[in-house]
Each structure stands twice: as C-alpha cells, then as structure tokens.
Amino acid sequence: MSIFVSYETKSSKNIMSYTHQTLPKIFKEAKDFMPLYGTDYVEFYVSNAKQAAYFYKAALGFQSYAYAGLETGLKEYESYVVAQGKIKLMFTSPLKSNTYVGKHIDKHGDGVKVVALWVDNAIDAYHTAIEKGARSYMKPIVTNDDDGTIISSGIHTYGETVHVFIERTNYSGHFMPGFIKWQTPDFNPPSVGLKYIDHMVGNVALGEMNKWVNFYEEVMGFTNILTFDDKDISTEYTALMSKVVCNGNGRIKFPINEPAKGIKRSQVDEYLDFYEGEGVQHLAVATDDIVMTVREMRNRGIEFLPIPDSYYETVLDRVGKIDEDIKPLKELGILIDRDDEGYLLQIFTKPIEPRPTLFFEIIQRKGAQSFGKGNFKALFQAIEREQTIRGTL
Ligand code: FE2
C-alpha cells in the first residue's frame, strides 16, 4: 500500500471543485452553505486503545474494522477502528511519553477528541468555516493509497474537541489511507443492534452555550431546533440549560448543555470538573429494538442508570398507548416519552470511563423527533443519586 500526503495546493482545490455538481438535491433545498452528509467517525483518545476496542466489541457489539500503528509505519500512535451499523469509533493511544495524545489523556482522561463529519468537499468546508470565524485545527491534507484519495481538514469546536471534515468522493478503500483492515477471526462478538449516531451532546461552561450555538449556526450552517431552559431541566437540587443544533439534512444533531444555578452541583458542573474543560458528554445511538439491545448490553456487563419502580406506575398515563409491553421496559429501566409526532424509548449508561464524564444513551424512536423532555426529571434524579454515591453532588 502506498501513501502520499500533500498539503493543500491551488491545483488540488481546482481538482475538487467539480464535486459541487454531484450535490444531492436535499442540500440545495436546505440552502446549506456547508453540506454535511453525516458523522463519519468519532475518535477517542484513550490510554489503552487495544483494550478499549476489545471492550466496545465485547460489551457494545462493535466489529473489528481498521488498524494503524507500528505495523503500518506509525511511530507515535496506534489506532483501532470498530464499526456497528453506520457507526465507526476510533480509539487512539500514544506509543511513547510526551505526545499530543498523551497530554490530552492526562488532562481529560479517556474521551472524545474528534467528531469527524463526512463532507462533499473538505477544502471548501474548511475555507468556509475559517472565513466565518472557526479556528483551524488541520489545514486540508490530501492522502492517497491504491484505492484513491481522501481529503481531510479540521477546525476546533468547544474545549479541546475538534471537527475533522472527511471527503470520500474519490476513495473506494476500506477506511482511509494509512489504515489496514483489522481482522480478528477468533473473536467477533455479535452486534447488539446499534444502527447510527442519533445525537451527540456537548457540555460547555456557564454562559458559553449561546456562543457555541452561534458557532454551529454561523460557521457550520446548523439550525437551532430546540431550546430547554432551566425550568425544563431541573430538579429540586440541580438545573441545566440546553439548545439543540441540527444540520441541513437532519442527520447531525448536537445538543449543547450549560450548567444553571441550583442548590447543588449539576451533572454538567461535575463533568466540567472531571473532564477539566468542555467536551462531549454523551453519544446517543439508535436501535430498532431497544429491549433486545439493552438486555444484550447488560448481559455483557454494561451498567445503566437505575430507574425507580415508581416511574412505571404513572408513565403510561403520561405517554398513552405504546406498542411495547411495559414489563421488560420496567425490568430494564427503559424510559418512555411522547411528543406531537410519536414516542421514543431511551436509557442511559453509567459513565464508561474512570472519571464521571462520558456515557452512552440508547434510543429507539417511534415517530418522536425530540429528546425525552418528559424524562428529564427522572433522569436527573437518577444522576443525582449516582452523584451522591460519588460524593460529587
Ligand atoms: Fe441524549
């Protein structure tokens, strides 16, 4: 496999300009100035990528997908990529001390570094974002191997989190130049039915939510589709505020949370303390069969936030008739909410890192396009119980 890397040149910009003619109609109608197809991959910086990949395979049903490291010529880092449905997660660890990745892990613990977005044109996306005020993370880079060309570029978002734009128009290979197929013929635990990333939530500091909502609107062409104030999201003790931004085709949704004043420290404050800054709080992943998915994940060792039985005494009065039997939902602690368009089922894992930072949400949408507002109180009370046990409330 040959890999060539070249920085952006005037000619590469010209070569790629034709891709605008291939834009799907939906983007033209949405009047997007930065067409984004969806999430390409999410990269975590972790202290042991090999074991993280094993955990995501064994406990969350991901499949071995791609690898880069010493065997492929890298000297400083090693990355494993796992896949399930349309979701690709990359885990990267340093191979020596004092690296960029290592310093990130020392400060934040294991967490999400890169939310890579699949774009039509990574050079245009980069220049558009920079012109509109984004801070550069990576100038456009062209990488090639025998299967074609990938162009990538990147900008900073909240905290030390970044967005990398990935253009795959002229690439037919497995993942990306520089990676080989990761095959593990003797260990391939089956999928748990996770399909795609439904939304990904960022926690930002007090007073910073509107700044980042503006960033997504003005720099990335997103729309603020929902707003929750501290009256929507509060318990007796804690509160937070949240706004949801969404891209033109509706596939990328980023709720942005900031803490609000309460009697005690909110989950966002706890996150900001332990992550030592702003960052990704949870990934919500979609399934078509939440009972099967959650049962399977529990059997494989994933712990979910416990929900009191009393929740199930009144939930059907609130949400009305649902297709599912309530018994397994209660047994597993799955929450239910309804909006004008239908209902949804959702559940939240406990943090999956040593620090109480990143967790996962499993969501099954049955028409509803919202985020479970009716469950906020029960959910935050459940989190407060966990905070109390941790001594961080
Ligand atoms: Fe969520």
Side-chain angles (χ1 to χ4, degrees):
M1 180 170 59
S2 56
I3 302 162
F4 308 95
V5 177
S6 62
Y7 281 91
E8 178 196 3
T9 63
K10 215 166 187 306
S11 61
S12 71
K13 189 166 185 176
N14 291 339
I15 290 165
M16 299 317 298
S17 61
Y18 77 94
T19 50
H20 276 301
Q21 291 159 14
T22 61
L23 272 183
K25 202 164 159 258
I26 184 171
F27 292 132
K28 290 176 183 160
E29 287 173 352
K31 298 193 190 77
D32 260 352
F33 58 76
M34 191 191 290
L36 303 167
Y37 291 119
T39 306
D40 196 283
Y41 65 87
V42 178
E43 182 177 11
F44 298 66
Y45 283 178
V46 297
S47 48
N48 190 331
K50 194 175 219 167
Q51 289 186 3
Y54 178 93
F55 169 80
Y56 278 81
K57 284 172 60 181
L60 283 96
F62 283 83
Q63 314 298 312
S64 303
Y65 192 73
Y67 168 82
L70 289 171
E71 289 84 343
T72 65
L74 293 185
K75 298 280 185 266
E76 288 199 357
Y77 308 112
E78 178 175 71
S79 294
Y80 288 85
V81 183
V82 296
Q84 184 171 190
K86 290 180 177 163
I87 313 161
K88 289 190 183 68
L89 305 181
M90 188 191 299
F91 302 98
T92 298
S93 293
L95 295 171
K96 59 182 199 177
S97 63
N98 276 320
T99 61
Y100 178 75
V101 176
K103 287 173 187 165
H104 193 280
I105 296 165
D106 186 42
K107 182 169 175 61
H108 301 294
D110 289 5
V112 171
K113 173 64 181 181
V114 179
V115 180
L117 303 171
W118 178 25
V119 298
D120 178 63
N121 185 319
I123 295 173
D124 277 2
Y126 177 82
H127 287 296
T128 302
I130 297 298
E131 277 162 23
K132 290 176 181 291
R135 195 156 58 89
S136 176
Y137 171 66
M138 180 175 74
K139 285 186 173 175
I141 294 176
V142 181
T143 53
N144 301 290
D145 64 16
D146 297 344
D147 296 315
T149 301
I150 282 202
I151 303 180
S152 50
S153 59
I155 58 168
H156 287 268
T157 178
Y158 48 78
E160 288 199 82
T161 316
V162 301
H163 288 305
V164 168
F165 301 121
I166 303 281
E167 174 184 329
R168 303 187 164 275
T169 318
N170 294 307
Y171 193 69
S172 59
H174 183 59
F175 182 55
M176 284 200 290
F179 284 80
I180 54 172
K181 222 177 197 169
W182 181 32
Q183 288 172 308
T184 49
D186 298 324
F187 186 65
N188 296 298
S191 159
V192 299
L194 303 179
K195 303 276 185 195
Y196 57 88
I197 295 175
D198 184 277
H199 60 275
M200 193 174 319
V201 178
N203 278 346
V204 301
L206 185 66
E208 294 289 294
M209 177 180 69
N210 285 329
K211 176 180 126 186
W212 290 108
V213 169
N214 289 342
F215 167 86
Y216 281 104
E217 286 179 331
E218 282 159 29
V219 173
M220 310 273 289
F222 283 48
T223 306
N224 176 202
I225 56 167
L226 274 173
T227 297
F228 304 104
D229 64 22
D230 50 351
K231 285 174 203 70
D232 295 320
I233 316 183
S234 65
T235 67
E236 194 184 337
Y237 299 116
T238 66
L240 63 88
M241 296 187 286
S242 189
K243 286 187 176 179
V244 184
V245 291
C246 178
N247 81 318
N249 71 0
R251 288 190 194 156
I252 307 171
K253 294 184 211 94
F254 295 146
I256 315 265
N257 294 340
E258 78 168 49
K261 235 180 148 59
I263 296 170
K264 296 193 174 182
R265 286 165 73 245
S266 79
Q267 52 173 301
V268 181
D269 291 311
E270 184 193 38
Y271 178 99
L272 295 168
D273 285 353
F274 278 91
Y275 198 70
E276 297 191 19
E278 302 174 336
V280 172
Q281 180 213 38
H282 75 266
L283 274 75
V285 285
T287 172
D288 291 337
D289 184 352
I290 196 165
V291 171
M292 181 279 286
T293 296
V294 172
R295 187 162 276 146
E296 191 62 27
M297 288 173 72
R298 276 168 67 130
N299 288 343
R300 298 183 191 194
I302 295 292
E303 293 180 293
F304 292 91
L305 284 180
I307 301 299
D309 287 352
S310 57
Y311 173 89
Y312 296 92
E313 287 164 15
T314 54
V315 66
L316 292 182
D317 299 338
R318 175 165 63 81
V319 302
K321 194 176 162 354
I322 56 169
D323 301 335
E324 292 73 15
D325 186 1
I326 194 78
K327 216 174 135 200
L329 302 180
K330 181 179 171 183
E331 172 206 330
L332 298 169
I334 293 166
L335 303 166
I336 313 151
D337 195 31
R338 185 179 283 280
D339 64 21
D340 296 343
E341 296 172 278
Y343 69 97
L344 62 80
L345 304 158
Q346 61 186 169
I347 189 168
F348 300 82
T349 70
K350 291 186 179 182
I352 47 145
E353 322 285 337
R355 304 187 194 189
T357 53
L358 185 71
F359 61 88
F360 278 76
E361 171 183 352
I362 312 300
I363 185 165
Q364 182 178 2
R365 294 188 180 279
K366 305 198 83 169
Q369 293 304 313
S370 52
F371 296 83
K373 183 179 166 184
N375 290 324
F376 286 166
K377 195 158 188 179
L379 170 64
F380 297 143
Q381 285 170 341
I383 293 173
E384 285 169 8
R385 283 192 289 275
E386 299 294 312
Q387 285 182 268
T388 304
I389 295 165
R390 290 195 282 265
T392 59
L393 185 64

